[in-house]
Amino acid sequence: MFSRPIHIGLSPNISADDYWLAVKSLFTPWSWKRGKSIEKVENWFKDHFEVHLAISFNAGRSALLAILESLNLEKNSEVLVQAYTCVAVPNSVVWAGLKPIYVDIDETLNLDIADAERKLTLRTKALIVQHTFGIPSDMDKLVAFAKKHNLLLIEDCAHALGGTYKNKLLGTFGEAAFFSFGRDKIVSSVFGGMAITNNKNLGTKIVQYREGLAYPSYLWILRQLLHVLISGWALALYQMAGAGKLILYLSQKLKLVSMPVYFKEILGRQPADFPKAYPNVLASLALWQLDKLPAMNECRRQIAKYYFENIKPSKVKLPVKVSGAVYLRYNLLTNRADEIRWQAKKQGMILGNWYHHTIDPKGVIWAKVGYPEGSCPRAEAVAATSLNLPTYPSLTKTQMQQIVSLFKG
Ligand SMILES: Cc1ncc(COP(=O)(O)O)c(C=O)c1O
């Protein structure tokens, strides 16, 4: 059942053992909300990052919101965020009563410090540093920049669990950091997130904030477990006369699974599901994968190495080669991105389109998330030309060769 086609979405991390864990968990609903796995995942983060506190949530966006709310910034303070991001990031800023100010990106696809400098005002109080696709931002410069302008630095490690900058773990450079266990992240429990901090005062406030949150409903938790099962079956049957696609379509229509970003969020509104506490059963899925993290990240690096060695930079722009990167997705830039995705699809390979929109996903209304059109030209151009290749650990050598063959000739 797990001889899967090349498909960058659909929980590519999920392997047979994760699948069976989700199946077994369906029959123990009494352990879905509270239980020991939550503390175990938090302790894993505390130990791994050697930080004072790790506080779990039901999504990365919930963790970010908790951090921002706990900073006690004056309403409408400005927070620098990069364009070429997921709408979940600026939305959390807005939901916290703050104002996102968009900064353009550099060649690493991370925040461009020169543009950040231009966009500073007296109201700028914080800076969210994203490590896009697991490629580390230049933390020496960013930490110095934040210090010089008295800004609180928050690391967005949604793509970068296990990545390093100059041999120091990403997530340990600022006031706080957050991680995502979303469906196609480094470690996935379909939804989930973690905030970490070494600042005791801030940590206490985040804990208090989380204590005030309810757990998601049983129905919501059930949907996440079903996601693991349904995506497993959909992948297994993907090439069978469209059966996999039909399963996916029907499960979305019947609301058996949740969308990664809700329609409300695309309109900038806050769904009642965020923020919530992290349910125990999802923590048990994450815990299982955290044990495999070093091996999984090594696989991602090896797959990225293969692409670096076998795709000619004359055909497309390759991502930057940086030690410490984890390459959640291997992102190429090409004017032929849509055409190549289409060609690949005809051959049964589903490649990725993060971030096909300056503030992703499709349909985000820029005015609602405060993005002034044209304010980050590089991010807008990069969004139009991005093409992601998969690096998930179950990708086989033959599949990698098949992908590379798209760029030959
Ligand atoms: C860069 C980035 N930050 C934050 C998030 C939000 O994480 P979550 O989906 O766990 O809320 C995402 C989601 O994809 C993301 O891509």
Side-chain angles (χ1 to χ4, degrees), residues 323-343:
S323 74
V326 281
Y327 299 103
L328 173 67
R329 293 180 174 208
Y330 186 89
N331 189 52
L332 302 171
L333 300 183
T334 161
N335 289 331
R336 294 176 55 234
D338 285 335
E339 183 195 326
I340 297 172
R341 249 191 306 274
W342 176 242
Q343 272 174 13

Side-chain angles (χ1 to χ4, degrees), residues 344-363:
K345 197 172 175 191
K346 282 200 289 189
Q347 296 174 41
M349 296 182 263
I350 311 297
L351 306 182
N353 66 353
W354 281 5
Y355 292 116
H356 204 18
H357 303 272
T358 314
I359 316 293
D360 215 62
K362 184 177 171 184

Side-chain angles (χ1 to χ4, degrees), residues 73-198:
L73 298 174
E74 224 175 272
K75 288 286 158 215
N76 289 321
S77 296
E78 293 177 358
V79 179
L80 300 177
V81 296
Q82 72 163 76
Y84 196 68
T85 190
C86 171
V87 71
V89 179
N91 269 351
S92 298
V93 176
V94 174
W95 300 342
L98 308 169
K99 190 171 174 204
I101 300 294
Y102 294 89
V103 177
D104 213 345
I105 52 175
D106 61 16
E107 70 285 348
T108 64
L109 311 188
N110 294 325
L111 193 133
D112 175 20
I113 301 180
D115 195 43
E117 194 96 43
R118 283 191 285 274
K119 286 177 174 159
L120 279 172
T121 72
L122 289 174
R123 290 182 304 280
T124 316
K125 300 292 175 214
L127 163 75
I128 299 177
V129 172
Q130 179 176 302
H131 305 292
T132 314
F133 299 120
I135 293 176
S137 287
D138 187 336
M139 293 316 297
D140 281 349
K141 286 194 182 145
L142 284 161
V143 168
F145 170 77
K147 208 164 166 192
K148 178 173 162 201
H149 298 289
N150 213 9
L151 305 177
L152 297 161
L153 191 156
I154 302 163
E155 282 182 84
D156 176 348
C157 299
H159 298 183
L161 176 57
T164 55
Y165 173 80
K166 297 193 175 167
N167 293 323
K168 190 170 179 300
L169 279 170
L170 298 177
T172 57
F173 290 87
E175 208 62 35
F178 73 96
F179 298 82
S180 164
F181 311 134
R183 60 201 63 196
D184 31 24
K185 299 299 179 1
I186 299 267
V187 156
S188 163
S189 59
V190 188
F191 265 113
M194 186 71 69
I196 63 171
T197 181
N198 240 336

